[in-house]
Amino acid sequence: MSLLNPLLAIGAGALLIPLLIHIFNRSRFRTIEWGAMHLLESVISQNRRRLRIDQLILLLIRCLIPAVLAFCLARPVLTGGGLLGDAPVALAVVLDNSYSMEAADPGGTRFNGAVESACRVIGELPRGSQVAVVLTGGRPTPLFDAPLADLQTVIRRLRQQKPGLGASDIPGSLELAADLLESMPAVRRQMLVLSDYQPADWSTLSGGPAAALQKRLQSSDIPTQLLLLAGTPLQPDARPDNITVESLQLPQQPIGVGQEFSVQARLKSYSGRDLDAASVALTLDGQPVSTVQTALKSGGTAEVLFRCRSDVAGSHVLTVAVTADDLLPTDNQRSAVIDLLDTVRVLLIDGDPGSQPLQSETDYLAVALTPWTFGRVPLTDLLQTQVIPPAQLTEAALQTARVVVLANVPRLTDPQTEWLTAWVRGGGSLLISAGNRLDIEWHRTKLWNDGAGLLPSAWGELRGAGDAGQAATPAPAAPASPAGPRTARIVSQRSEHPALAFFNDPANGDLSTAEIRRWHVLTATAATETQAGTATAAILDSGDPLLLERRLGDGVVLQLATAVDTDWSDLPLRPFYVPLMQQLVATLAVQIQPPRNLSAGTAAVALFYPPTAADADPAVAAKAAATAPPPPQNTPTDTATPLPAVTLVDPLGARSTLPSRVQGRWLAAETTATQRPGIYLMTLPDGRPAHFAVQTDAAESDLTLLDPQQQQDLAQQLNAVLLTSAEDWLEADRRQRHGQEIWPWVLAGLLLLMCLEVVLQQRFAGVTA
């Protein structure tokens, strides 16, 4: 404590005046003999002690009155550990800019309120203070490259910010703010957190992370004061009024031009009211497709199914929106991106050609991949096949194909193997099937090559029994196992593989009904297990893998343990053979493409081909983009050749330019600035659009906040000060800088003493009268 007017405290010596008056009056009296005095002696002797106490109480009060008056005039100030005055402050502002902050409270959006509170605090900082700002949405991001001492610039930039980003990473944001504070010289450090305090955001901080953060803030050379600025939460019994499109589910299999596909939307209610007829609409590239109505109960969910098709190949944006008057309009719609294919060229290399229909190794496969063509139906097949013998496989033939199938191919020449390996590593997709003509030793040494070749696994022993097919020119084969099952069936189980997930619906076919009479064991050697990107896609009831998949460079290889014709199984005779082969080949064709539907903060990558002369003609470029063959071998790799740039438009409409880089035989453009949910548009050098739909955790749509008691518990756990407004911070800051004057309370005490003196004087006089 200190005094602003210490000289006036000398007036406290006036407390001696009542004491002196009391002593002086007590010493000046005369004794008068009075005859009737003996009649009062008994009364006086009984009340003498009480009279003396009463006089002492009045004396004490009368002494205190001038002393308290002098203390009040001296203006006492509470200073705690000492006044900081106008010493600079290091302040780190942690600002929640997730899309839940767009919720509109009676006083405006939560984000606007948080920004204004931050600006109010920053505007009152002493000269020389430094400020750092950390935005929590999507991923922790500093607003400035380094802390700023120009407070007006900080305020201006803060007011330019917009919410709407992904879910907040609170632990990461607090750690980043602590890092920034440690680099800021000051006599006082503060971390101010402005958030809506959703339970989902702060639950990850409980326990060990909270204790570690508290220890870090307090153990530094200058301890950091943590301040939590919380808004007014909802009443305990209230539900936030919000409706959201929680998710969109698109087909996992590739979709071609003109094919009808389904879009399933899931709605979620965080509202306290029921909706009997919520209007839900689907748009394709901004054009309305369909509108339906559905009932949505309070706190419940509803699913809506749409059917859609398009005759235009390429990237398309699907948006489902629900009409609702709620607190957060941002999440009333959700978007997803789908790529529609025109045609995919598939090169079938037939290792066992025949002269009669359905006698060649690839006859059944060719029919399955192009059923409309073989059926002479006036419809266009998504897949276009070309069948060649192994001898006709050339480097030029590979460049016109998106998928290559090696069907029972005995062997290739060394140049062919090199071309095929380079083609796969550069982004091609390869399917290798077994058969009776395989040169097992050549496959083992060239295509397997101890795990360094194309094959995901070496061909193991031949199992099963039955007609193995007739080989015109026998080739060395793996010995058949004398023991083991004679036939096998595909295990019927739920699959996560994008090609086989189609059959998770029993209506699309039951793979377990097929009989596999012969198959090779795909040996799971130690080398296989250590290969990155190798996985089992399907398995037989014998325990042997039927399909193995391996990522190789930028491409993918799928290995089938049996044949694609009827020699080793009745797969081609089953109704599901057509969709099975189409799913496998079409999925291979698009599997190398990076995903277009992303989580907030995930890198968006577009692969495209080097520009050619055909790009000058938009029609030719569009056709080339739709057919999507692998790029030519002579992709520019000369660093002196400038690579084309890609234009990016983010959800707010801001444009930027992305450089491209060589990735195998492709060119790639990438951006990691995807913290804001919405649609990102890359315009490729040939003019084609590449859309990306970025979404965030649907838990942000639950606008329920921590209640007051939970906020207090959080503040106690973090050893933080809980504030309800910027005024609370300003008052606390003023006390730390200039202390708290208590003279009004001292003056109130003085008035109380004066009133008490009058009351006691009258009471004691009445008693003694």
Side-chain angles (χ1 to χ4, degrees):
M1 179 183 294
S2 62
L3 301 175
L4 297 182
N5 298 319
L7 292 179
L8 295 182
I10 299 176
L15 66 86
L16 299 176
I17 297 176
L19 182 61
L20 293 176
I21 293 175
H22 174 75
I23 296 174
F24 180 76
N25 287 335
R26 184 178 180 182
S27 62
R28 297 180 59 187
F29 64 89
R30 291 182 304 163
T31 301
I32 300 176
E33 298 292 337
W34 181 36
M37 189 65 187
H38 67 281
L39 300 175
L40 300 176
E41 288 181 355
S42 60
V43 176
I44 294 173
S45 62
Q46 294 177 3
N47 295 316
R48 184 184 304 275
R49 181 177 179 84
R50 188 174 65 182
L51 291 174
R52 180 175 299 174
I53 294 175
D54 292 346
Q55 292 174 0
L56 289 176
I57 291 175
L58 287 175
L59 176 62
L60 177 62
I61 293 175
R62 289 165 180 166
C63 290
L64 285 176
I65 288 175
V68 171
L69 177 60
F71 186 64
C72 179
L73 295 175
R75 296 181 64 184
V77 175
L78 292 178
T79 59
L83 295 180
L84 297 175
D86 291 331
V89 177
L91 176 66
V93 177
V94 180
L95 179 61
D96 185 349
N97 61 338
S98 61
Y99 78 79
S100 65
M101 293 289 285
E102 291 185 289
D105 291 329
T109 66
R110 296 174 179 176
F111 185 76
N112 289 341
V115 168
E116 289 305 316
S117 296
C119 293
R120 179 80 184 278
V121 168
I122 294 172
E124 296 294 330
L125 291 176
R127 180 177 299 180
S129 298
Q130 288 186 318
V131 177
V133 178
V134 176
L135 304 176
T136 68
R139 65 182 179 187
T141 305
L143 183 58
F144 308 106
D145 294 334
L148 293 185
D150 187 348
L151 303 183
Q152 293 305 312
T153 298
V154 176
I155 292 174
R156 184 173 64 255
R157 286 289 303 277
L158 273 176
R159 287 178 171 155
Q160 293 173 352
Q161 300 306 304
K162 296 183 181 297
L165 274 74
S168 292
D169 179 2
I170 295 298
S173 299
L174 297 179
E175 289 293 336
L176 177 58
D179 292 340
L180 294 173
L181 280 173
E182 291 176 355
S183 66
M184 300 161 63
V187 298
R188 181 161 57 118
R189 291 174 178 169
Q190 288 185 329
M191 186 186 299
L192 177 63
V193 182
L194 301 104
S195 171
D196 55 3
Y197 294 92
Q198 288 181 296
D201 292 339
W202 291 86
S203 60
T204 56
L205 196 62
S206 60
L213 176 66
Q214 178 182 345
K215 181 179 179 180
R216 178 181 181 183
L217 296 181
Q218 298 303 318
S219 62
S220 60
D221 54 347
I222 302 177
T224 299
Q225 184 184 27
L226 181 59
L227 306 171
L228 306 180
L229 181 56
T232 303
L234 296 172
Q235 297 299 321
D237 297 332
R239 288 184 65 90
D241 190 8
N242 191 40
I243 308 296
T244 180
V245 181
E246 190 174 47
S247 65
L248 292 183
Q249 184 175 348
L250 302 180
Q252 291 188 337
Q253 68 272 17
I255 303 297
V257 170
Q259 291 182 337
E260 190 175 59
F261 59 92
S262 62
V263 180
Q264 184 172 336
R266 181 182 177 89
L267 310 182
K268 173 70 175 178
S269 171
Y270 294 99
S271 174
R273 55 191 172 95
D274 296 338
L275 295 179
D276 297 328
S279 179
V280 188
L282 170 68
T283 60
L284 176 66
D285 297 328
Q287 300 301 314
V289 174
S290 178
T291 300
V292 299
Q293 291 187 334
T294 185
L296 186 59
K297 298 297 183 181
S298 172
T301 60
E303 293 186 351
V304 181
L305 186 65
F306 295 97
R307 305 295 297 181
C308 186
R309 66 184 297 274
S310 176
D311 295 326
V312 180
S315 177
H316 298 274
V317 178
L318 294 160
T319 301
V320 173
V322 58
T323 302
D325 183 15
D326 56 13
L327 296 178
L328 188 59
T330 302
D331 64 354
N332 289 358
Q333 67 177 29
R334 198 173 189 91
S335 297
V337 173
I338 188 169
D339 270 323
L340 299 183
L341 304 178
D342 188 356
T343 56
V344 175
R345 288 193 284 270
V346 181
L347 182 62
L348 305 179
I349 304 177
D350 194 328
D352 188 12
S355 59
Q356 298 298 321
L358 300 180
Q359 291 299 312
S360 294
E361 188 75 23
T362 60
D363 283 352
Y364 284 99
L365 179 58
V367 173
L369 297 182
T370 57
W372 303 127
T373 301
F374 277 91
R376 302 181 186 277
V377 178
L379 295 174
T380 302
D381 288 303
L382 172 62
L383 305 172
Q384 293 183 350
T385 61
Q386 178 186 3
V387 182
I388 63 172
Q392 294 182 13
L393 177 61
T394 63
E395 187 176 16
L398 288 174
Q399 308 318 314
T400 62
R402 186 67 176 272
V403 179
V404 172
V405 179
L406 294 182
N408 196 13
V409 174
R411 61 189 300 158
L412 299 173
T413 66
D414 288 346
Q416 287 175 325
T417 305
E418 294 175 1
W419 298 334
L420 189 60
T421 302
W423 180 81
V424 171
R425 289 185 177 276
S429 298
L430 176 64
L431 171 62
I432 304 176
S433 66
N436 62 331
R437 293 181 57 82
L438 292 185
D439 184 339
I440 297 299
E441 185 60 30
W442 180 87
H443 277 252
R444 187 186 306 276
T445 58
K446 296 297 184 179
L447 290 191
W448 166 239
N449 192 20
D450 291 330
L454 289 171
L455 282 174
S457 169
W459 299 107
E461 64 176 340
L462 185 62
R463 289 187 175 179
D467 181 14
Q470 299 298 320
T473 304
S481 174
R486 297 180 62 84
T487 62
R489 296 185 183 274
I490 303 173
V491 174
S492 180
Q493 61 184 5
R494 184 173 183 83
S495 176
E496 298 299 327
H497 191 278
L500 301 180
F502 178 77
F503 297 97
N504 290 336
D505 183 355
N508 295 328
D510 185 0
L511 300 181
S512 65
T513 59
E515 183 181 68
I516 311 298
R517 296 188 299 274
R518 280 187 177 267
W519 67 95
H520 278 282
V521 175
L522 302 183
T523 309
T525 63
T528 302
E529 294 175 353
T530 57
Q531 287 182 50
T534 299
T536 301
I539 193 171
L540 298 174
D541 58 7
S542 64
D544 301 318
L546 176 65
L547 277 171
L548 284 183
E549 183 182 72
R550 178 191 180 190
R551 292 281 180 174
L552 186 63
D554 293 324
V556 62
V557 180
L558 197 63
Q559 184 177 7
L560 179 63
T562 191
V564 293
D565 62 359
T566 59
D567 287 348
W568 285 13
S569 73
D570 63 357
L571 278 172
L573 306 180
R574 297 292 176 176
F576 60 75
Y577 184 74
V578 171
L580 173 62
M581 292 296 107
Q582 288 195 354
Q583 290 295 312
L584 288 175
V585 174
T587 302
L588 281 173
V590 300
Q591 206 168 3
I592 60 173
Q593 291 291 337
R596 295 294 182 88
N597 296 292
L598 311 170
S599 299
T602 304
V605 182
L607 299 181
F608 55 96
Y609 314 127
T612 63
D615 296 332
D617 185 348
V620 175
K623 181 65 177 179
T627 54
Q633 290 276 25
N634 58 349
T635 298
T637 57
D638 186 357
T639 55
T641 302
L643 298 177
V646 172
T647 301
L648 173 69
V649 180
D650 68 13
L652 295 180
R655 292 180 174 270
S656 58
T657 300
L658 302 177
S660 61
R661 68 174 188 273
V662 176
Q663 182 170 320
R665 292 174 297 166
W666 304 81
L667 294 182
E670 178 179 353
T671 178
T672 57
T674 58
Q675 287 76 35
R676 182 176 299 279
I679 299 298
Y680 293 76
L681 171 62
M682 289 188 190
T683 302
L684 304 181
D686 60 5
R688 288 183 298 129
H691 298 94
F692 296 86
V694 174
Q695 303 294 349
T696 187
D697 188 354
E700 280 287 305
S701 297
D702 185 357
L703 302 181
T704 304
L705 310 181
L706 296 176
D707 61 37
Q709 183 57 49
Q710 291 173 325
Q711 293 178 3
Q712 289 286 352
D713 294 342
L714 176 65
Q716 183 176 4
Q717 187 179 21
L718 295 173
N719 192 26
V721 178
L722 184 63
L723 308 174
T724 59
S725 65
E727 283 66 27
D728 290 349
W729 182 91
L730 294 174
E731 178 62 22
D733 182 69
R734 187 186 63 80
R735 293 174 184 175
Q736 286 187 313
R737 290 164 55 186
H738 306 295
Q740 181 180 9
E741 293 191 38
I742 60 173
W743 67 264
W745 300 101
V746 177
L747 179 60
L750 174 63
L751 296 177
L752 181 61
L753 286 174
M754 295 175 67
C755 292
L756 182 63
E757 192 273 340
V758 173
V759 171
L760 292 179
Q761 170 66 28
Q762 293 179 353
R763 181 178 177 81
F764 294 161
V767 171
T768 58

